[in-house]
mmCIF file of all heavy atoms in Angstrom:
data_model
loop_
_atom_site.group_PDB
_atom_site.id
_atom_site.type_symbol
_atom_site.label_atom_id
_atom_site.label_comp_id
_atom_site.label_asym_id
_atom_site.label_seq_id
_atom_site.Cartn_x
_atom_site.Cartn_y
_atom_site.Cartn_z
ATOM 1 N N LYS A 290 -123.579 170.501 218.708
ATOM 2 C CA LYS A 290 -123.205 171.872 218.309
ATOM 3 C C LYS A 290 -122.307 172.492 219.390
ATOM 4 O O LYS A 290 -121.253 173.053 219.107
ATOM 5 C CB LYS A 290 -124.463 172.746 218.144
ATOM 6 C CG LYS A 290 -125.309 172.418 216.924
ATOM 7 C CD LYS A 290 -124.754 173.121 215.671
ATOM 8 C CE LYS A 290 -125.592 172.796 214.451
ATOM 9 N NZ LYS A 290 -125.407 171.389 213.983
ATOM 10 N N ASP A 291 -122.766 172.378 220.663
ATOM 11 C CA ASP A 291 -122.008 172.992 221.761
ATOM 12 C C ASP A 291 -120.594 172.425 221.855
ATOM 13 O O ASP A 291 -119.641 173.136 222.164
ATOM 14 C CB ASP A 291 -122.719 172.770 223.108
ATOM 15 C CG ASP A 291 -124.015 173.573 223.196
ATOM 16 O OD1 ASP A 291 -124.189 174.491 222.353
ATOM 17 O OD2 ASP A 291 -124.853 173.278 224.079
ATOM 18 N N SER A 292 -120.487 171.141 221.582
ATOM 19 C CA SER A 292 -119.180 170.523 221.817
ATOM 20 C C SER A 292 -118.160 170.974 220.770
ATOM 21 O O SER A 292 -116.975 170.708 220.913
ATOM 22 C CB SER A 292 -119.291 169.007 221.836
ATOM 23 O OG SER A 292 -119.618 168.553 220.554
ATOM 24 N N GLN A 293 -118.628 171.677 219.731
ATOM 25 C CA GLN A 293 -117.669 172.210 218.756
ATOM 26 C C GLN A 293 -117.214 173.623 219.133
ATOM 27 O O GLN A 293 -116.432 174.232 218.424
ATOM 28 C CB GLN A 293 -118.285 172.192 217.356
ATOM 29 C CG GLN A 293 -118.533 170.765 216.871
ATOM 30 C CD GLN A 293 -119.306 170.712 215.555
ATOM 31 O OE1 GLN A 293 -118.915 171.316 214.573
ATOM 32 N NE2 GLN A 293 -120.412 169.981 215.555
ATOM 33 N N SER A 294 -117.702 174.122 220.275
ATOM 34 C CA SER A 294 -117.341 175.479 220.710
ATOM 35 C C SER A 294 -115.965 175.470 221.375
ATOM 36 O O SER A 294 -115.629 174.553 222.112
ATOM 37 C CB SER A 294 -118.386 175.994 221.701
ATOM 38 O OG SER A 294 -117.779 176.853 222.631
ATOM 39 N N PRO A 295 -115.158 176.515 221.096
ATOM 40 C CA PRO A 295 -113.811 176.561 221.698
ATOM 41 C C PRO A 295 -113.832 176.966 223.182
ATOM 42 O O PRO A 295 -112.825 176.849 223.864
ATOM 43 C CB PRO A 295 -113.100 177.630 220.871
ATOM 44 C CG PRO A 295 -114.196 178.507 220.354
ATOM 45 C CD PRO A 295 -115.405 177.646 220.190
ATOM 46 N N ASP A 296 -114.979 177.427 223.673
ATOM 47 C CA ASP A 296 -115.050 177.988 225.023
ATOM 48 C C ASP A 296 -114.975 176.885 226.087
ATOM 49 O O ASP A 296 -115.722 175.909 226.033
ATOM 50 C CB ASP A 296 -116.382 178.760 225.145
ATOM 51 C CG ASP A 296 -116.571 179.274 226.553
ATOM 52 O OD1 ASP A 296 -115.635 179.924 227.049
ATOM 53 O OD2 ASP A 296 -117.632 179.010 227.154
ATOM 54 N N THR A 297 -114.064 177.046 227.073
ATOM 55 C CA THR A 297 -113.854 175.959 228.051
ATOM 56 C C THR A 297 -115.078 175.743 228.938
ATOM 57 O O THR A 297 -115.401 174.611 229.284
ATOM 58 C CB THR A 297 -112.640 176.234 228.955
ATOM 59 O OG1 THR A 297 -112.547 177.640 229.156
ATOM 60 C CG2 THR A 297 -111.368 175.734 228.342
ATOM 61 N N ALA A 298 -115.763 176.815 229.303
ATOM 62 C CA ALA A 298 -116.952 176.656 230.154
ATOM 63 C C ALA A 298 -117.990 175.807 229.421
ATOM 64 O O ALA A 298 -118.601 174.888 229.999
ATOM 65 C CB ALA A 298 -117.518 178.027 230.511
ATOM 66 N N THR A 299 -118.201 176.109 228.128
ATOM 67 C CA THR A 299 -119.148 175.325 227.324
ATOM 68 C C THR A 299 -118.704 173.861 227.297
ATOM 69 O O THR A 299 -119.517 172.949 227.456
ATOM 70 C CB THR A 299 -119.218 175.879 225.880
ATOM 71 O OG1 THR A 299 -119.274 177.298 225.938
ATOM 72 C CG2 THR A 299 -120.421 175.347 225.132
ATOM 73 N N GLN A 300 -117.385 173.652 227.106
ATOM 74 C CA GLN A 300 -116.861 172.277 227.053
ATOM 75 C C GLN A 300 -117.184 171.526 228.340
ATOM 76 O O GLN A 300 -117.553 170.355 228.310
ATOM 77 C CB GLN A 300 -115.329 172.288 226.857
ATOM 78 C CG GLN A 300 -114.882 172.645 225.456
ATOM 79 C CD GLN A 300 -115.350 171.628 224.414
ATOM 80 O OE1 GLN A 300 -115.674 170.482 224.715
ATOM 81 N NE2 GLN A 300 -115.421 172.069 223.165
ATOM 82 N N ARG A 301 -117.047 172.236 229.488
ATOM 83 C CA ARG A 301 -117.305 171.585 230.772
ATOM 84 C C ARG A 301 -118.783 171.178 230.875
ATOM 85 O O ARG A 301 -119.108 170.081 231.301
ATOM 86 C CB ARG A 301 -116.882 172.498 231.924
ATOM 87 C CG ARG A 301 -116.130 171.736 233.018
ATOM 88 C CD ARG A 301 -115.487 172.635 234.057
ATOM 89 N NE ARG A 301 -114.367 173.352 233.490
ATOM 90 C CZ ARG A 301 -114.163 174.670 233.618
ATOM 91 N NH1 ARG A 301 -115.019 175.401 234.306
ATOM 92 N NH2 ARG A 301 -113.129 175.269 233.079
#
Side-chain angles (χ1 to χ4, degrees):
K290 289 276 180 288
D291 291 345
S292 68
Q293 294 173 54
S294 148
D296 176 52
T297 33
T299 316
Q300 285 297 339
R301 223 170 290 132

